[in-house]
Amino acid sequence: MPKLIRWRGDRAEAVEDPFTSIDDDQVIPQGDVIISLRRFQSEGAFLLGQCRQVGVRLAADETPEALDADLARIAVVALVFPKFRDGRAFSAASILRDRLGYQGEVRAVGDVLLEQAKFMVRCGFDSFEPADGATPGQWTAAAHRFRHVYQRAADGLEPVFVERATGHETPG
Amino acid sequence: MYRYDDIDQAMLTDRAAEFREQCRRRLAGEITEDQFKPIRLMNGLYLQLHAYMLRIAIPYGALNSAKLRKLAWVASTYDRGYGHFTTRTNLQLHWIKLKDAPDILDALAGVGLHAIQTSGNCIRNLTADPHAGATADEADDPRVWAEAIRQWSTFHPEFSFLPRKFKIAVTGATRDRAAIRIYDIGLRLHRAADGELAFEVLAGGGLGRIPFLGPTIRERLPARHLLSYLQAILRVYNRLGRRDNIWKARIKVLVATLGAEEFARQVDEEWEASDKAAVDLPDTELARIRAGFAPVGFETLPPVSAAFETAKLDDRAFARFARHNITAHKQPGYALIDVSLKAIGETPGDCSAEQMEVIANLAERYSLDEARVTYEQNLILPHVKLDDAPAVYRLLADADLATPNIGLISDIIACPGLDYCALANARAIPIAQDIARRFESPELAEKIGELKIKISGCINACGHHHVGHIGILGVDKKGEEFYQLTLGGSGEDDASIGQSLGPALPAERVAPAIDQLVEVYLRERTTGERFIDTYRRAGLAPFKEAVYAEAH
Amino acid sequence: MKALTANRLTDGEVVFWKQGQWLDRFADAELFDDEAVAEAAEAHAKTQVTLLVEPYLIDVAEVEGGVAPVSYRERLRALGPTNKPEHGKQAQGGAQIEILAHAHGAASSKGRIDLIKRK
């Protein structure tokens, strides 16, 4: 099984990926699978009725709101970065976490690069398939490069205006 | 002005350290140029024709003596002793070495300066009314809100990979000195009838290949909800803005395609669904930021200064300077003094390290330690006592910074153009120099009155040519430089997009054409009409006839 | 005729290829009459990723007194900014600089023109 980077607590680690990502023209094998939104809409109910975990892959132009009713039963939402410059998935992840209250795995797939690690972690992604071969160690370091954050996000970090109000010291 | 606290400072230090590591990886070959380019761009580092260019952010155009001195030091230590102030109130250094860039960012961080988000498809450096805190026509100080936006937008995890760059301008005044109608978002503070502080929100303005003036999408946004409302706009744009075509990716195209009403409806829907309290700053934080901009050190003075009035009577040159470069202040006995970076024959917006030092000294001694950058590529000393104005004038004049031409024909906006810029199609600077020399006589310039010429070296329109009373756009015609003229643009309260005058002209024909346009204006104008007023009344025809007559 | 140019990675300086070396002056640039030789040099240059940024071939033509890049942009790169004659390569002066400064009649610009296009 291919390696996957999982974010646990405040660090990244390598884990075996129990899911197989299935294209629309592939036959669905046994085991846990990630399928497209279209396929989920036609076959999702059937697959969820079997004893396996199902994840849904959202293209950059698909919205997480489309999954709302089924979210509680979906194990993984995989958000696609068609190019690293295409930042739509950052909004999709934020909406999944902050608005829809999704607790499952939010996975970054596609053109996923180390330089975006901190943005992804902040928006609520918790698993990553780096396209640049980044290691968990690099991922952890990149996500922790900044001691403070200026705004609230899905990671729940205390923004600077809260730090200031509570008089926390600047570490380091 | 607002001073960065330990936290703001730590953000800059962490960023500089991050970039040092990224540069190291690039120089060591651990990452490719393709991977490095967006990283260096997000730190304001471009590769131009002759060297790297570093674009340093000057948030809402606010400088003090320490920042100016550091910029001067960087310019003389790492560059060739000068910098270029831009229409985005940034400072560009044109001769930077990649290997020096981390050291430069460290040095800048020491005085609260940085190059964060001066490029890339993110929320760029904020601009604001350069008269902020000094003008009587102000409902509130826009810098308070600009600083709030600066912090909120810095390293915003959701909005750092937008469809395209995103620029926000803020004013608190009745008169628009921040060109808010040509911005992705323009914000105008006003006090509603019931006393509530509110923003008029404009969205979808912008220049470039398809220019638009931003429509108002909300007349009255309670000021305290600014950030949550901005988040809603940005989220709608991030999700729906076009990503298939770079020329259609700016928010202006989305707003124009949906229509302002429908766009506003979608923003409202997103805004109502969002957790506003999680985004909007608490009152305590706003008050903290506001305290950073509280006026300090004004003296109680009579509104009229005998020294100032006498100097005007005694010195005609000073009187002329006072007419064009000195503006009334809200505080009796004070004035704003425009520092012209448009000396005749020089490069518009350029400022030498020595000049930066002079301005730093003047700001420190005479202007409550403040200076501002304007989008028209000049600087302002915002709080000068009228009593001190003659002395400030003399010191500026000694440094070639007192050209009495603010708003006049030689106060030309020009981007760096093909002399430096890798994107340009034609040079802009020599055209500006030609025109300024032709109208060098201050008497002639004064007779012509307000006339705003704006020159861009390519369609990206960094020189705001669409909104020049006379706009000049450099184009490449079979490898040669040609220039398209437009008339009737304005970026101010009477905002409009200029109309094309006719076929593009070769470089040597541009300054003579300006001469011809001015002749038409002087002939046709009625009392009190500015160039643009005459154009709006008389139309394009007489101007076109004058420039293209010989072609018939 | 072609010449091979790039910007040096460490400082952005405009450089020209001469038999495997990268030199600062257009006067020293190797001129290729043979397209295949030029392309081979370019292909090699593209592997020098820790030395250069974006090497590319430019068209060079005979002009009065010698040779010069065909495009105006490339002549500016070989000279420096026209508003600051004391900066850039033009500051050194010399015969080749004079030739470049007086060359005209450019054909279509080539060079780094697609910088802001994506993909």
Side-chain angles (χ1 to χ4, degrees), chain B residues 130-168:
Chain B
H131 289 197
T135 180
D137 69 337
E138 193 164 83
D140 191 29
D141 192 328
R143 294 171 300 170
V144 173
W145 303 96
E147 174 59 24
I149 301 170
R150 183 195 72 79
Q151 296 191 22
W152 167 77
S153 63
T154 296
F155 311 136
H156 197 293
E158 190 179 337
F159 305 132
S160 289
F161 296 89
L162 297 167
R164 197 77 174 87
K165 57 189 170 182
F166 203 91
K167 303 172 181 178
I168 303 175

Short mmCIF file of all heavy atoms in Angstrom, two decimals, chain B residues 130-168:
data_model
loop_
_atom_site.label_atom_id
_atom_site.label_comp_id
_atom_site.label_asym_id
_atom_site.label_seq_id
_atom_site.Cartn_x
_atom_site.Cartn_y
_atom_site.Cartn_z
N PRO B 130 -3.33 58.81 1.21
CA PRO B 130 -2.07 59.31 1.80
C PRO B 130 -2.29 60.51 2.72
O PRO B 130 -1.37 60.90 3.44
CB PRO B 130 -1.24 59.70 0.57
CG PRO B 130 -2.23 59.95 -0.51
CD PRO B 130 -3.39 59.04 -0.24
N HIS B 131 -3.48 61.09 2.70
CA HIS B 131 -3.78 62.19 3.60
C HIS B 131 -4.40 61.70 4.92
O HIS B 131 -4.86 62.51 5.73
CB HIS B 131 -4.73 63.19 2.94
CG HIS B 131 -4.07 63.99 1.85
ND1 HIS B 131 -4.61 65.16 1.36
CD2 HIS B 131 -2.92 63.80 1.15
CE1 HIS B 131 -3.82 65.65 0.40
NE2 HIS B 131 -2.81 64.84 0.25
N ALA B 132 -4.43 60.40 5.12
CA ALA B 132 -5.08 59.83 6.31
C ALA B 132 -4.57 60.49 7.59
O ALA B 132 -3.37 60.69 7.75
CB ALA B 132 -4.80 58.33 6.37
N GLY B 133 -5.49 60.80 8.46
CA GLY B 133 -5.12 61.38 9.74
C GLY B 133 -4.71 62.84 9.67
O GLY B 133 -4.34 63.42 10.68
N ALA B 134 -4.76 63.42 8.47
CA ALA B 134 -4.32 64.80 8.32
C ALA B 134 -5.35 65.65 7.58
O ALA B 134 -5.16 66.85 7.44
CB ALA B 134 -3.00 64.84 7.56
N THR B 135 -6.42 65.01 7.13
CA THR B 135 -7.36 65.74 6.29
C THR B 135 -8.69 65.93 7.03
O THR B 135 -9.13 65.06 7.79
CB THR B 135 -7.58 65.00 4.95
OG1 THR B 135 -8.50 65.74 4.16
CG2 THR B 135 -8.12 63.59 5.17
N ALA B 136 -9.30 67.06 6.78
CA ALA B 136 -10.54 67.40 7.51
C ALA B 136 -11.74 66.64 6.96
O ALA B 136 -12.75 66.50 7.65
CB ALA B 136 -10.79 68.90 7.43
N ASP B 137 -11.65 66.14 5.74
CA ASP B 137 -12.84 65.51 5.12
C ASP B 137 -12.91 64.01 5.41
O ASP B 137 -13.38 63.23 4.59
CB ASP B 137 -12.88 65.78 3.61
CG ASP B 137 -11.78 65.05 2.84
OD1 ASP B 137 -10.76 64.69 3.45
OD2 ASP B 137 -11.93 64.86 1.62
N GLU B 138 -12.49 63.62 6.60
CA GLU B 138 -12.33 62.20 6.90
C GLU B 138 -13.33 61.76 7.98
O GLU B 138 -13.42 62.37 9.03
CB GLU B 138 -10.90 62.01 7.41
CG GLU B 138 -10.42 60.61 7.51
CD GLU B 138 -8.90 60.56 7.65
OE1 GLU B 138 -8.39 60.72 8.77
OE2 GLU B 138 -8.22 60.40 6.62
N ALA B 139 -14.05 60.66 7.69
CA ALA B 139 -14.99 60.12 8.68
C ALA B 139 -14.24 59.31 9.73
O ALA B 139 -14.63 59.26 10.90
CB ALA B 139 -16.03 59.24 8.00
N ASP B 140 -13.18 58.64 9.30
CA ASP B 140 -12.36 57.87 10.22
C ASP B 140 -11.00 57.64 9.56
O ASP B 140 -10.87 57.75 8.34
CB ASP B 140 -13.03 56.52 10.54
CG ASP B 140 -12.34 55.81 11.70
OD1 ASP B 140 -11.78 56.50 12.58
OD2 ASP B 140 -12.37 54.56 11.73
N ASP B 141 -10.02 57.28 10.38
CA ASP B 141 -8.67 57.07 9.86
C ASP B 141 -8.60 55.72 9.12
O ASP B 141 -8.74 54.66 9.75
CB ASP B 141 -7.68 57.10 11.03
CG ASP B 141 -6.23 57.17 10.56
OD1 ASP B 141 -5.93 56.63 9.47
OD2 ASP B 141 -5.41 57.77 11.28
N PRO B 142 -8.39 55.73 7.82
CA PRO B 142 -8.40 54.47 7.07
C PRO B 142 -7.25 53.54 7.43
O PRO B 142 -7.31 52.33 7.21
CB PRO B 142 -8.29 54.92 5.61
CG PRO B 142 -7.61 56.25 5.68
CD PRO B 142 -8.11 56.89 6.96
N ARG B 143 -6.19 54.11 8.03
CA ARG B 143 -5.02 53.27 8.35
C ARG B 143 -5.37 52.23 9.42
O ARG B 143 -4.79 51.15 9.43
CB ARG B 143 -3.86 54.14 8.83
CG ARG B 143 -3.30 55.05 7.74
CD ARG B 143 -2.31 56.04 8.32
NE ARG B 143 -2.93 56.88 9.35
CZ ARG B 143 -2.26 57.70 10.15
NH1 ARG B 143 -0.95 57.78 10.06
NH2 ARG B 143 -2.90 58.45 11.04
N VAL B 144 -6.28 52.59 10.31
CA VAL B 144 -6.69 51.63 11.35
C VAL B 144 -7.23 50.37 10.68
O VAL B 144 -6.85 49.24 11.02
CB VAL B 144 -7.79 52.25 12.24
CG1 VAL B 144 -8.34 51.22 13.21
CG2 VAL B 144 -7.26 53.49 12.95
N TRP B 145 -8.07 50.58 9.70
CA TRP B 145 -8.73 49.46 9.03
C TRP B 145 -7.77 48.78 8.07
O TRP B 145 -7.80 47.56 7.90
CB TRP B 145 -9.99 49.94 8.33
CG TRP B 145 -10.89 50.59 9.33
CD1 TRP B 145 -10.99 51.93 9.62
CD2 TRP B 145 -11.77 49.91 10.23
NE1 TRP B 145 -11.89 52.12 10.65
CE2 TRP B 145 -12.38 50.91 11.04
CE3 TRP B 145 -12.10 48.57 10.45
CZ2 TRP B 145 -13.30 50.59 12.04
CZ3 TRP B 145 -13.01 48.26 11.43
CH2 TRP B 145 -13.61 49.27 12.22
N ALA B 146 -6.89 49.57 7.46
CA ALA B 146 -5.90 48.99 6.54
C ALA B 146 -4.96 48.07 7.32
O ALA B 146 -4.58 47.00 6.84
CB ALA B 146 -5.13 50.09 5.82
N GLU B 147 -4.58 48.50 8.52
CA GLU B 147 -3.69 47.66 9.33
C GLU B 147 -4.44 46.39 9.77
O GLU B 147 -3.86 45.29 9.77
CB GLU B 147 -3.18 48.45 10.54
CG GLU B 147 -2.36 47.64 11.55
CD GLU B 147 -1.10 47.00 10.98
OE1 GLU B 147 -0.56 47.48 9.96
OE2 GLU B 147 -0.66 45.97 11.55
N ALA B 148 -5.72 46.53 10.10
CA ALA B 148 -6.51 45.34 10.46
C ALA B 148 -6.54 44.36 9.28
O ALA B 148 -6.37 43.15 9.46
CB ALA B 148 -7.92 45.75 10.86
N ILE B 149 -6.73 44.90 8.09
CA ILE B 149 -6.75 44.03 6.90
C ILE B 149 -5.37 43.44 6.63
O ILE B 149 -5.23 42.28 6.26
CB ILE B 149 -7.24 44.80 5.64
CG1 ILE B 149 -8.64 45.37 5.86
CG2 ILE B 149 -7.23 43.89 4.42
CD1 ILE B 149 -9.08 46.33 4.76
N ARG B 150 -4.34 44.26 6.85
CA ARG B 150 -2.98 43.74 6.63
C ARG B 150 -2.74 42.51 7.48
O ARG B 150 -2.28 41.48 7.00
CB ARG B 150 -1.92 44.81 6.98
CG ARG B 150 -0.49 44.34 6.70
CD ARG B 150 0.58 45.20 7.36
NE ARG B 150 0.65 45.03 8.79
CZ ARG B 150 1.28 44.01 9.42
NH1 ARG B 150 1.88 43.08 8.71
NH2 ARG B 150 1.28 43.92 10.74
N GLN B 151 -3.10 42.60 8.75
CA GLN B 151 -2.86 41.46 9.63
C GLN B 151 -3.72 40.27 9.21
O GLN B 151 -3.23 39.15 9.09
CB GLN B 151 -3.12 41.86 11.08
CG GLN B 151 -2.13 42.94 11.53
CD GLN B 151 -2.16 43.20 13.03
OE1 GLN B 151 -2.58 42.36 13.81
NE2 GLN B 151 -1.70 44.38 13.41
N TRP B 152 -4.99 40.52 8.99
CA TRP B 152 -5.90 39.43 8.63
C TRP B 152 -5.45 38.72 7.34
O TRP B 152 -5.55 37.49 7.20
CB TRP B 152 -7.32 39.99 8.45
CG TRP B 152 -8.26 39.03 7.80
CD1 TRP B 152 -8.87 37.96 8.36
CD2 TRP B 152 -8.70 39.08 6.43
NE1 TRP B 152 -9.66 37.32 7.43
CE2 TRP B 152 -9.58 37.99 6.24
CE3 TRP B 152 -8.45 39.95 5.35
CZ2 TRP B 152 -10.20 37.74 5.01
CZ3 TRP B 152 -9.06 39.69 4.13
CH2 TRP B 152 -9.92 38.59 3.98
N SER B 153 -4.94 39.51 6.39
CA SER B 153 -4.63 38.92 5.07
C SER B 153 -3.24 38.32 5.00
O SER B 153 -2.90 37.64 4.02
CB SER B 153 -4.79 39.98 3.97
OG SER B 153 -3.87 41.04 4.17
N THR B 154 -2.41 38.57 6.04
CA THR B 154 -1.03 38.07 5.99
C THR B 154 -1.01 36.55 6.22
O THR B 154 -1.48 36.08 7.26
CB THR B 154 -0.17 38.79 7.04
OG1 THR B 154 -0.11 40.18 6.70
CG2 THR B 154 1.25 38.23 7.06
N PHE B 155 -0.48 35.85 5.25
CA PHE B 155 -0.43 34.38 5.28
C PHE B 155 -1.82 33.79 5.51
O PHE B 155 -1.98 32.84 6.28
CB PHE B 155 0.55 33.86 6.35
CG PHE B 155 1.88 34.52 6.32
CD1 PHE B 155 2.52 34.93 7.47
CD2 PHE B 155 2.52 34.75 5.11
CE1 PHE B 155 3.76 35.55 7.43
CE2 PHE B 155 3.76 35.37 5.06
CZ PHE B 155 4.38 35.76 6.23
N HIS B 156 -2.83 34.37 4.89
CA HIS B 156 -4.17 33.81 5.06
C HIS B 156 -4.20 32.42 4.45
O HIS B 156 -3.91 32.25 3.27
CB HIS B 156 -5.23 34.70 4.40
CG HIS B 156 -6.60 34.39 4.91
ND1 HIS B 156 -7.21 33.20 4.65
CD2 HIS B 156 -7.45 35.09 5.71
CE1 HIS B 156 -8.40 33.18 5.25
NE2 HIS B 156 -8.56 34.32 5.89
N PRO B 157 -4.54 31.40 5.25
CA PRO B 157 -4.40 30.04 4.73
C PRO B 157 -5.36 29.73 3.58
O PRO B 157 -5.03 28.92 2.71
CB PRO B 157 -4.71 29.16 5.96
CG PRO B 157 -5.50 30.03 6.88
CD PRO B 157 -5.01 31.43 6.64
N GLU B 158 -6.50 30.39 3.57
CA GLU B 158 -7.49 30.06 2.54
C GLU B 158 -7.28 30.89 1.27
O GLU B 158 -7.66 30.48 0.17
CB GLU B 158 -8.91 30.29 3.10
CG GLU B 158 -10.02 29.78 2.20
CD GLU B 158 -11.41 30.00 2.79
OE1 GLU B 158 -11.54 30.15 4.03
OE2 GLU B 158 -12.37 30.04 2.01
N PHE B 159 -6.67 32.08 1.41
CA PHE B 159 -6.65 33.02 0.29
C PHE B 159 -5.25 33.35 -0.19
O PHE B 159 -4.97 34.49 -0.57
CB PHE B 159 -7.41 34.30 0.68
CG PHE B 159 -8.82 34.04 1.15
CD1 PHE B 159 -9.30 34.61 2.31
CD2 PHE B 159 -9.66 33.22 0.41
CE1 PHE B 159 -10.60 34.38 2.74
CE2 PHE B 159 -10.97 32.96 0.83
CZ PHE B 159 -11.44 33.54 2.00
N SER B 160 -4.36 32.37 -0.17
CA SER B 160 -3.01 32.63 -0.67
C SER B 160 -2.79 32.08 -2.08
O SER B 160 -1.74 32.30 -2.68
CB SER B 160 -1.97 32.02 0.28
OG SER B 160 -1.93 32.76 1.48
N PHE B 161 -3.78 31.37 -2.60
CA PHE B 161 -3.71 30.87 -3.99
C PHE B 161 -5.01 31.17 -4.70
O PHE B 161 -5.76 30.27 -5.11
CB PHE B 161 -3.36 29.38 -3.99
CG PHE B 161 -2.00 29.11 -3.42
CD1 PHE B 161 -1.83 28.88 -2.07
CD2 PHE B 161 -0.88 29.14 -4.24
CE1 PHE B 161 -0.56 28.68 -1.53
CE2 PHE B 161 0.39 28.93 -3.71
CZ PHE B 161 0.56 28.70 -2.36
N LEU B 162 -5.28 32.44 -4.83
CA LEU B 162 -6.50 32.93 -5.48
C LEU B 162 -6.36 32.76 -7.00
O LEU B 162 -5.28 32.47 -7.50
CB LEU B 162 -6.69 34.41 -5.12
CG LEU B 162 -6.91 34.70 -3.62
CD1 LEU B 162 -6.75 36.20 -3.35
CD2 LEU B 162 -8.28 34.21 -3.18
N PRO B 163 -7.45 32.97 -7.73
CA PRO B 163 -7.31 32.90 -9.19
C PRO B 163 -6.29 33.89 -9.73
O PRO B 163 -5.59 33.62 -10.71
CB PRO B 163 -8.71 33.25 -9.69
CG PRO B 163 -9.63 32.85 -8.57
CD PRO B 163 -8.85 33.14 -7.31
N ARG B 164 -6.15 35.03 -9.05
CA ARG B 164 -5.24 36.06 -9.53
C ARG B 164 -4.95 37.00 -8.36
O ARG B 164 -5.58 36.90 -7.30
CB ARG B 164 -5.91 36.80 -10.70
CG ARG B 164 -5.01 37.62 -11.57
CD ARG B 164 -4.20 36.78 -12.55
NE ARG B 164 -3.45 37.67 -13.44
CZ ARG B 164 -2.25 38.17 -13.16
NH1 ARG B 164 -1.66 37.87 -12.02
NH2 ARG B 164 -1.62 38.97 -14.01
N LYS B 165 -4.03 37.93 -8.59
CA LYS B 165 -3.69 38.88 -7.51
C LYS B 165 -4.92 39.67 -7.06
O LYS B 165 -5.89 39.81 -7.81
CB LYS B 165 -2.62 39.85 -8.00
CG LYS B 165 -3.00 40.62 -9.26
CD LYS B 165 -1.79 41.37 -9.78
CE LYS B 165 -2.07 41.98 -11.15
NZ LYS B 165 -0.87 42.66 -11.69
N PHE B 166 -4.83 40.19 -5.82
CA PHE B 166 -6.00 40.84 -5.25
C PHE B 166 -5.58 42.08 -4.46
O PHE B 166 -4.81 42.00 -3.52
CB PHE B 166 -6.73 39.85 -4.32
CG PHE B 166 -8.18 40.20 -4.13
CD1 PHE B 166 -9.14 39.67 -4.97
CD2 PHE B 166 -8.56 41.08 -3.13
CE1 PHE B 166 -10.48 40.00 -4.81
CE2 PHE B 166 -9.90 41.42 -2.97
CZ PHE B 166 -10.87 40.88 -3.80
N LYS B 167 -6.12 43.21 -4.87
CA LYS B 167 -5.66 44.48 -4.30
C LYS B 167 -6.81 45.23 -3.65
O LYS B 167 -7.89 45.33 -4.23
CB LYS B 167 -5.04 45.34 -5.41
CG LYS B 167 -3.91 44.64 -6.14
CD LYS B 167 -3.46 45.43 -7.35
CE LYS B 167 -2.34 44.70 -8.08
NZ LYS B 167 -1.93 45.44 -9.29
N ILE B 168 -6.54 45.78 -2.48
CA ILE B 168 -7.56 46.47 -1.71
C ILE B 168 -7.07 47.89 -1.39
O ILE B 168 -5.91 48.06 -1.01
CB ILE B 168 -7.87 45.72 -0.40
CG1 ILE B 168 -8.30 44.28 -0.70
CG2 ILE B 168 -8.96 46.44 0.40
CD1 ILE B 168 -8.52 43.41 0.53
#
